[in-house]
Amino acid sequence: MDRSENSLEDAVALLRSMIREACVNTGAADSGQEIRSVRVLQRYLDDAVRAGALDLQVFESAPGRASLIARVRGTDPDAPALGLLGHLDVVPADPDGWQRDPFGGELVDGEIWGRGAVDMLYLTASFAVILREVALAPERPRGDLVLLAVADEEAGGEYGVKWLLREHASAVRVTELLSESGGQRMGAHVAVGVAEKGSASRRLTLSGVPGHASIPYGATSAAYGIGEVLHRLREVAPAIQLGPLWSAFVGARVADPDLAERLLDPVRLDAALPELGRIAGYAHAVSRVTISPTVLRAGDAHNVIPAVGTIDLDIRTLPGTSDADVDELLRTMLGDLADRVEISPLRGWAATGSSTEEPLYGALERAIREVSGAPVVPIAAAGGSDARHFRELGIPSYGFGLLGPEWSYERYRDGVHGHDERIDVESIGLALGALRRIVAERVGARPAAG
């Protein structure tokens, strides 16, 4: 058995182990408990640490909220320091909706089942495997290779990357980065994530006149105000804004020239969206600011007419959209209701992106084409990831992956946070092959045999 086959076996075993650790992040401070998967990685990397080939540190932002940073030091301090950023936490799973135990890590017919298999434990495992390969190679690499296996990505990174960058910046030092949100097939192309939408969540607060629910005359329920605002939000849509990645997406995904022409026209785009099938949701999201009411509150007791109501809005923004732009957009949509509604910011961040002219992007292109024979297409993610924190620091960061030919964007989205999440062994092997080539090119590490 050659070294690459051993590496694939290792990646599969690591993935199954981390699924079984069930590091479920509900958003509560004491959830996640990523220390369990950190211990899995520590055991796997122990021989490289004992050989002096790897510097490994574990950081706890709170009890059990652990992240692991492992660095293979290069010989040239001026060479790139490539970061491999993978998170250890997963979202909850309802066992009643699954065909198999979501935390069983079962290997069935060439697929590993379990929560986090796609998002993103298969990549975290692959990153660890390639790091160990480089650490134990006969020659040191020219540049640093750094595994960042972190807590709390699913809840915003307060106990993970954000805390590490604030409290242990020197340990996290990289000059370029690979993380999640890539590898899906867009037609004949493989997607590489180069950008992410921003978040500008808001809370709308409305006032009413309270009273006893048995005598409603003279009172005004804040619940009615919520209904009026929801109607306005539903009827008025933000303007379409087609950024520089839109035409690349259409060119890669849409074969029909007539449909492609309509999708490139902001006036005709929305009428054409239904013809895209299940990828229409993604196309809609990345072509405009989106506003989604998510949490409604009014009243505490069934016999009291509520005086205050609130609506929480998940708002995802495009590059160049400021907080002032968001507030003005909401006031415009509210119209004559605007004076009766208080707009308050919730958490948020700006949209981020990395240039396709960076050397790391070129290495991604070449590696993916060599392994799969497919060209790449740069895409923007509708959601967020930990990579944005590095882009905000000016560090080129890309969503990596290389999934099998049957892994359309739709299949990928079905797996992320969905029932019956699973990944096939073939895709893990493809990702390892591409990653090995990228690492060899960027930090001068000798690839494994085979």
Side-chain angles (χ1 to χ4, degrees), residues 243-400:
L245 299 178
W246 179 255
S247 60
F249 159 71
V250 172
R253 184 58 196 251
V254 180
D256 180 351
D258 175 69
L259 176 57
E261 181 182 351
R262 286 181 283 137
L263 289 168
L264 294 171
D265 181 353
V267 176
R268 296 186 289 167
L269 189 157
D270 276 354
L273 279 179
E275 297 178 50
L276 286 176
R278 291 176 57 226
I279 205 171
Y282 169 79
H284 177 274
V286 297
S287 59
R288 71 207 69 203
V289 173
T290 58
I291 302 175
S292 299
T294 53
V295 181
L296 312 178
R297 299 182 183 90
D300 297 306
H302 81 283
N303 61 346
V304 178
I305 293 172
V308 177
T310 62
I311 306 170
D312 288 356
L313 303 175
D314 184 305
I315 302 175
R316 302 298 172 124
T317 59
L318 295 169
T321 305
S322 67
D323 280 343
D325 294 334
V326 171
D327 290 338
E328 181 58 31
L329 174 62
L330 289 174
R331 282 191 288 267
T332 300
M333 295 175 77
L334 290 168
D336 59 0
L337 296 177
D339 291 340
R340 298 162 50 192
V341 178
E342 177 186 349
I343 302 173
S344 305
L346 299 175
R347 72 176 187 173
W349 54 85
T352 61
S354 296
S355 170
T356 57
E357 300 300 316
E358 294 288 343
L360 179 56
Y361 184 84
L364 274 163
E365 279 191 304
R366 287 184 286 276
I368 289 172
R369 188 182 288 273
E370 287 173 11
V371 173
S372 69
V376 306
V377 58
I379 66 165
S385 77
D386 277 341
R388 71 177 183 274
H389 302 297
F390 291 85
R391 291 195 190 104
E392 289 169 354
L393 297 173
I395 296 169
S397 303
Y398 301 99
F400 169 74

Side-chain angles (χ1 to χ4, degrees), residues 31-240:
S31 69
Q33 293 301 299
E34 294 89 348
I35 187 65
R36 297 195 294 265
S37 283
V38 163
R39 299 303 185 213
V40 170
L41 293 175
Q42 280 185 293
R43 289 191 291 271
Y44 177 70
L45 297 171
D46 182 63
D47 57 346
V49 173
R50 286 188 286 106
L54 189 65
D55 297 336
L56 188 150
Q57 296 174 282
V58 175
F59 300 95
E60 280 192 87
S61 56
R65 306 307 304 271
S67 298
L68 177 149
I69 300 178
R71 182 182 298 266
V72 179
R73 297 195 180 275
T75 59
D76 181 357
D78 296 323
L82 174 59
L84 307 176
L85 174 63
H87 63 80
L88 301 171
D89 59 324
V90 302
V91 296
D94 178 5
D96 291 340
W98 286 62
Q99 298 179 58
R100 300 184 179 276
D101 178 359
F103 299 106
E106 296 177 63
L107 175 57
V108 181
D109 296 330
E111 295 181 320
I112 300 96
W113 289 63
R115 173 58 82 225
V118 176
D119 181 21
M120 64 171 289
L121 297 182
Y122 93 94
L123 278 176
T124 305
S126 299
F127 290 163
V129 166
I130 296 299
L131 180 88
R132 183 174 175 273
E133 273 190 21
V134 172
L136 295 177
E139 298 177 9
R140 287 171 60 193
R142 185 169 55 87
D144 286 9
L145 184 64
V146 189
L147 171 64
L148 309 167
V150 302
D152 200 36
E153 188 276 342
E154 296 291 0
E158 294 293 339
Y159 293 95
V161 162
K162 290 180 72 173
W163 181 83
L164 287 167
L165 287 170
R166 185 175 65 248
E167 302 294 333
H168 300 282
S170 60
V172 185
R173 187 193 72 82
V174 297
T175 61
E176 54 190 32
L177 188 87
L178 298 179
S179 191
E180 61 182 328
S181 300
Q184 317 92 316
R185 301 297 176 119
M186 291 284 191
H189 294 67
V190 174
V192 173
V194 303
E196 297 175 3
K197 292 184 75 176
S199 174
S201 298
R202 294 291 189 271
R203 174 167 293 162
L204 307 183
T205 303
L206 307 94
S207 297
V209 178
H212 197 289
S214 66
I215 308 177
Y217 184 81
T220 304
S221 175
Y224 288 131
I226 288 177
E228 291 181 63
V229 170
L230 291 176
H231 180 72
R232 298 287 176 92
L233 294 175
R234 181 184 178 90
E235 294 300 315
V236 183
I240 293 170

